[in-house]
C-alpha cells in the first residue's frame, strides 16, 4: 500500500465537511510517556468531505481509516470519500437494524413522539445503555482494532457518524491499552461536546416546530458527549469484566506481547 510522508498538523485544522477531527497525539501515560503525534486521529464521518478536506486528510500518511458506522448509517450519510493509497476498514459497532426506526423518528418524528421517547431523561438513558452494550458485546470488533493497529494499520483515523460515541469508545479502548492517564482520556472524550465539533442535526420534518428549542433540547443528549456516558462504560468494565486489565486481556485478547507492540507503535520513547 502506498504511503505518503505524513504532514502532521501543528494546529487543529478547519475542515469544511468533516466534523470533530483531531489528532490524539500528546496525551500523557501514567508511566511518563505520551501518545505519538501523527499516528492516531479521530473524527466524524468523511462522506461529506470537500476536495480540500480530502487533500488535507490525504496528506496525513494514513494507512487505515476505521469506520464504525453500520449499513443504515452509510446509506443515510454516504460512503467515505476515497483517499488514494488508504485502506478503509468497516467495523460496525451496532447492528444495521438496531435503532434504524428510532433514528428515523429522530429525523422525522413530531414533537409529541419526541416527548414520549426522549423526555424525562429517556434520551440520556438510551445513550448510557448503548455505551454499556458496546463494552459488553462488541469485543470482537475492539479486539480486531487493537490487533490491526498493533500489527501495522497506522497511522489510523477512527470515525463513526459524529465521532463521539462508537469512535469515542474505540479511542478510549486504545488509550486504556496504552496506559494513558484517566483524566487525559476523559478530557479528550469530552472535547466532542464542543459546539464546533457536534454532529449537525438534520431533520426532514417540515413542521413549524421541527427545529424548535424544545425539539433541540429533547434531541440534545443524543448528540452530546457527557461524563455520565463515559462513566457508564467504565462501570460496565468494572461490573461485567472485573476491571480494565481483565477487560483488555479476557475480553479483547490483548496479551503482553501485543500490548507492547501497540505501545511501541503509538507512544513516544
Amino acid at each position: 500500500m502506498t504511503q505518503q510522508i505524513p504532514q502532521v498538523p501543528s494546529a487543529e485544522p478547519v475542515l469544511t465537511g468533516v466534523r470533530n477531527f483531531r489528532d490524539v497525539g500528546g496525551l500523557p501515560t501514567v508511566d511518563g510517556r505520551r501518545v505519538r503525534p501523527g499516528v492516531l486521529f479521530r473524527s466524524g464521518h468523511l462522506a461529506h468531505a470537500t476536495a480540500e478536506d480530502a487533500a488535507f486528510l490525504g496528506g496525513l500518511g494514513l494507512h487505515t481509516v476505521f469506520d464504525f458506522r453500520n449499513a443504515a448509517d452509510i446509506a443515510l450519510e454516504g460512503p467515505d470519500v476515497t483517499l488514494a493509497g488508504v485502506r478503509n476498514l468497516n467495523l460496525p459497532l451496532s447492528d444495521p437494524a438496531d435503532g434504524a426506526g428510532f433514528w428515523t423518528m429522530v429525523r422525522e418524528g413530531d414533537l409529541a413522539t419526541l416527548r414520549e421517547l426522549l423526555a424525562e431523561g429517556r434520551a440520556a438513558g438510551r445513550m448510557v445503555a448503548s455505551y454499556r452494550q458496546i463494552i459488553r458485546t462488541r469485543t470482537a470488533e475492539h479486539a480486531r482494532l487493537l490487533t490491526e493497529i498493533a500489527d501495522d494499520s497506522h497511522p489510523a483515523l477512527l470515525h463513526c457518524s459524529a465521532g463521539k460515541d462508537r469512535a469515542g469508545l474505540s479511542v478510549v479502548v486504545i488509550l486504556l491499552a496504552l496506559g494513558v492517564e484517566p483524566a487525559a482520556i476523559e478530557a479528550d472524550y469530552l472535547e466532542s461536546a464542543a459546539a464546533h465539533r457536534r454532529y449537525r442535526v438534520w431533520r426532514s420534518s417540515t413542521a413549524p416546530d421541527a427545529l424548535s428549542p424544545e425539539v433541540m433540547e429533547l434531541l440534545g443528549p443524543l448528540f452530546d458527549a457527557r461524563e455520565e456516558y463515559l462513566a457508564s462504560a467504565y462501570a460496565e468494565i468494572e461490573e461485567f469484566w472485573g476491571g480494565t486489565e481483565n477487560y483488555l486481556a479476557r475480553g479483547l485478547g490483548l496479551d503482553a506481547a501485543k500490548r507492547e507492540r501497540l505501545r511501541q507503535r503509538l507512544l513516544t520513547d
Side-chain angles (χ1 to χ4, degrees), residues 1 15 54 76 122 129 131-132 156 174 177 180-181 222 225 245 249:
M1 182 172 294
L15 301 179
L76 177 70
R122 287 186 286 275
Y131 273 55
R132 282 183 171 270
I174 294 171
V180 170
E181 290 276 6
L222 305 176
E245 293 305 315

Side-chain angles (χ1 to χ4, degrees), residues 146-152 154 178 254-267:
L146 293 178
T147 298
E148 291 277 349
I149 294 180
D151 289 344
D152 65 356
H154 68 285
L178 294 175
L254 186 67
D255 58 26
K258 188 185 298 183
R259 191 170 193 172
E260 182 56 30
R261 291 201 311 275
L262 192 71
R263 288 171 59 83
Q264 288 177 357
R265 295 188 186 283
L266 298 187
L267 296 181

Side-chain angles (χ1 to χ4, degrees), residues 122-241:
R122 287 186 286 275
R126 181 182 177 87
M127 298 302 296
V128 164
S130 71
Y131 273 55
R132 282 183 171 270
Q133 182 180 41
I134 287 174
I135 292 297
R136 179 179 291 213
T137 67
R138 294 295 172 169
T139 50
E141 291 85 351
H142 279 149
R144 182 173 179 187
L145 172 68
L146 293 178
T147 298
E148 291 277 349
I149 294 180
D151 289 344
D152 65 356
S153 298
H154 68 285
L157 170 62
L158 282 58
H159 80 81
C160 49
S161 291
K164 69 178 184 73
D165 301 317
R166 291 166 290 185
L169 278 180
S170 298
V171 170
V172 167
V173 167
I174 294 171
L175 297 181
L176 287 174
L178 294 175
V180 170
E181 290 276 6
I185 295 177
E186 180 176 334
D188 176 71
Y189 167 79
L190 291 175
E191 279 193 37
S192 292
H196 72 287
R197 297 188 185 281
R198 286 176 178 249
Y199 187 87
R200 289 192 176 99
V201 179
W202 179 78
R203 292 269 289 156
S204 59
S205 172
T206 58
D209 60 0
L211 292 173
S212 70
E214 183 179 359
V215 167
M216 300 310 292
E217 182 178 355
L218 288 167
L219 295 176
L222 305 176
F223 298 96
D224 202 1
R226 298 183 176 183
E227 291 181 18
E228 66 181 293
Y229 302 165
L230 183 58
S232 70
Y234 286 151
E236 192 69 16
I237 288 174
E238 292 297 325
E239 295 165 12
F240 185 78
W241 293 106

